[in-house]
Amino acid sequence: MRRPTAGGPLKFSDFAIPTCLSLRTIYKLPLRQTQRLMRSIARLMGVEIPAPDFSTLSHRAQGLMPPEKHRIERTAPILLTVDSTGRKKFGEAEWLQNKHETKPKRTS
């Protein structure tokens, strides 16, 4: 949405725009579809709040700085599989066995 006056306050907060753009990135959506997604989410939640339109998202995205990525040093990769019943951590060997439908070489 446009500002009410030139140099006036922005209609959408600095939190709303990155949230919309994050959903856009996650679902790989164009800006117009992101706008519709946000309106649909607001409607499903039963709240009447305006959703940023595609041009606002485009203009405000240019001024945003990408978040810094914090890297954690690890010695080995971590593989995690989540299902509807809970969490289970698989090692690399278990994952490969499930992927290729093979029997384990050793039993533990």
Side-chain angles (χ1 to χ4, degrees), residues 6-40:
L10 298 172
K11 186 169 183 177
F12 301 103
S13 69
D14 289 334
F15 179 73
I17 302 299
T19 301
C20 294
L21 295 172
S22 296
L23 288 173
R24 175 184 186 231
T25 303
I26 290 169
Y27 293 111
K28 300 176 183 168
L29 299 173
L31 288 171
R32 288 181 192 261
Q33 289 179 0
T34 303
Q35 172 187 344
R36 286 187 221 123
L37 173 67
M38 296 311 294
R39 287 182 181 166
S40 176

Side-chain angles (χ1 to χ4, degrees), residues 22-102:
S22 296
L23 288 173
R24 175 184 186 231
T25 303
I26 290 169
Y27 293 111
K28 300 176 183 168
L29 299 173
L31 288 171
R32 288 181 192 261
Q33 289 179 0
T34 303
Q35 172 187 344
R36 286 187 221 123
L37 173 67
M38 296 311 294
R39 287 182 181 166
S40 176
I41 289 172
R43 188 174 53 248
L44 288 171
M45 291 174 52
V47 293
E48 292 189 29
I49 56 173
D53 60 294
F54 67 94
S55 60
T56 301
L57 291 173
S58 176
H59 291 292
R60 296 274 300 272
Q62 293 173 2
L64 294 177
M65 297 294 294
E68 291 183 22
K69 294 181 180 177
H70 298 286
R71 186 169 179 93
I72 299 171
E73 296 297 326
R74 295 187 185 116
T75 56
I78 295 175
L79 302 173
L80 178 67
T81 305
V82 179
D83 63 4
S84 62
T85 60
R87 298 180 197 163
K88 181 175 180 182
K89 181 178 175 182
F90 283 105
E92 184 178 355
E94 290 176 290
W95 180 81
L96 287 171
Q97 290 168 11
N98 289 338
K99 179 180 175 186
H100 299 292
E101 299 177 356
T102 61

